[in-house]
Amino acid sequence: MSSLAVLHAAQLVTLTGAKRARIGPELSELGIISDGGMLIRDGKLERVGLSDEIEKNIGDAEVVDAGGRAVMPGFVDAHTHLVFAGNRLDDFERRSRGETYEQIAKAGGGIWSTVQKTRAASEVDLLARATKYATWFLRCGTTTVEAKSGYGLTVEDELKILRVMRQLKQEVRLEIVPTFLGAHAVPRELSPDEYLDVVVTEMLPHVTAEKLAEFCDVFCERGYFDIDQSRKILSAAKKVGLSLRGHVDQLTNSGGAKLMAEMSATTADHLEQTDEQGIAALSKANVQPVLLPGSVYALGSSRYPRAREMIEAGLAIVLATDFNPGSSPTPSMPMVLSLACTQMKMSPAEAITASTVNAAYSLNRGDKIGCLEPGKLANFVIFDCEDYRELAYWFGMPQTHSVYVRGDCIV
Ligand code: NIG
Ligand code: FE
């Protein structure tokens, strides 16, 4: 039995509380213990409390002195596109000259250009790239990511991406939750309805037979999949036992939030254009919004989702990076916290809750990760600051001191 004691955290941000995603004023309750400590046995938290009390029960545990730093659960990033080839530097430069996401996609950039590179890449190559990005996440203090397929758009290439994720899980300490996003775009060689048929009748059966994904996602947007097509895909996925997430109302308000409510999805993601009716629908159906301010920022837009209204409507809000080569090339949750506070008027405490415990519940893992309490996995980060608010305040400055996954120091 291996045991570890962490002592003298200036703030031990436990996020202990209700055994469900947090809403309203609960989003501000971080359960902070000053001069806190933890006792860890076999990768799980056994005791959490005042350093003095932990010290009395230390036994033969190895001691880590947090040295008056802030200690928090590892970030849970509930929306990433982790596996892809190439980059989108040309799109980036065009956007800097004022072209929009949609214009660039029409001119040969966008998702399609990443699809072509990803199709041409071998599993070995994709694995090497994803391993590098997994390291980036860990260095930013993220210990779990959700990862979507979606840059293959053929049966073979979507399965290739999902298998790379499965392989990656064996090779890195970052925890990975796979999502099937076959409906990320319509491939050039098929009509929308032909491709929809491939997604439903060919891809989904393979994905479920090989247990390659826990969730199914769809890009519901003008020029991608409309409401009816999205409903068909999500219904088919639900029938075969996948939980649902969706890219909705990102560029236009097409009623995507309402669709996710109708489908009893786990999350509705993006929501930059969602209005009060969409927010009310999500609230009624208990769907968690996943807000992605990194993509708004990187696309050079100023239309952030209406986080305050969502919180007031009682939604269990989640923040994520949307890590991808096109619209959000960042693995940094601290950057997302900064954007949430400065652009969406969330408080630093609300942003922390949204990126840890609430994100964990959105991945059906609230019983294992996202807060620091006995029985949970010892996935935590020591940050080189004393106060959790510094994470959102000093932006663009990595403050990770060390990162632990299941009790092992890996950064
Ligand atoms: O979440 N909106 C669709 N998918 C991604 C963008 C992917 C890409 O541009 O490659 C997003 O923003
Ligand atoms: Fe996305």
Side-chain angles (χ1 to χ4, degrees), residues 79 81 88 91 101 110-112 114 148 151 181 184 219 221 224 247 250-251 270 292 295 299 322 324-328:
H79 183 137
H81 304 251
R88 298 257 283 282
D91 292 20
Y101 187 78
I111 293 174
W112 184 245
T114 301
K148 303 172 195 299
Y151 291 117
L181 174 57
H184 194 194
F219 188 15
E221 183 61 62
Y224 295 83
H247 286 69
Q250 179 185 11
L251 308 171
H270 277 289
L292 310 163
S295 67
L299 290 178
D322 194 13
N324 76 70
S327 66
S328 195

Side-chain angles (χ1 to χ4, degrees), residues 221-284:
E221 183 61 62
R222 182 174 64 199
Y224 295 83
F225 298 89
D226 66 20
I227 291 282
D228 285 339
Q229 293 164 333
S230 301
R231 184 186 288 111
K232 280 190 188 139
I233 291 159
L234 295 173
S235 306
K238 201 172 176 177
K239 261 200 202 126
V240 294
L242 297 179
S243 301
L244 309 180
R245 317 179 86 78
H247 286 69
V248 293
D249 302 343
Q250 179 185 11
L251 308 171
T252 53
N253 180 6
S254 63
K258 279 189 219 152
L259 174 68
M260 299 317 279
E262 173 196 321
M263 296 303 307
S264 300
T266 306
T267 68
D269 303 40
H270 277 289
L271 305 174
E272 286 86 340
Q273 316 294 331
T274 301
D275 57 17
E276 48 287 352
Q277 283 140 24
I279 294 175
L282 293 177
S283 152
K284 211 160 157 217

Side-chain angles (χ1 to χ4, degrees), residues 290-311:
V290 180
L291 307 185
L292 310 163
S295 67
V296 183
Y297 168 78
L299 290 178
S301 161
S302 52
R303 175 116 180 196
Y304 287 86
R306 292 149 76 160
R308 286 256 58 92
E309 282 170 59
M310 293 180 193
I311 292 171

Side-chain angles (χ1 to χ4, degrees), residues 59-77:
D60 59 357
E62 180 194 335
V63 174
V64 171
D65 187 345
R69 298 182 177 86
V71 177
M72 290 200 354
F75 290 117
V76 177
D77 191 340

Side-chain angles (χ1 to χ4, degrees), residues 131-142 323 329-332:
T131 303
K132 170 175 159 176
Y133 301 138
T135 313
W136 288 2
F137 279 100
L138 289 165
R139 289 207 320 243
C140 291
T142 296
F323 176 75
T330 182
S332 171

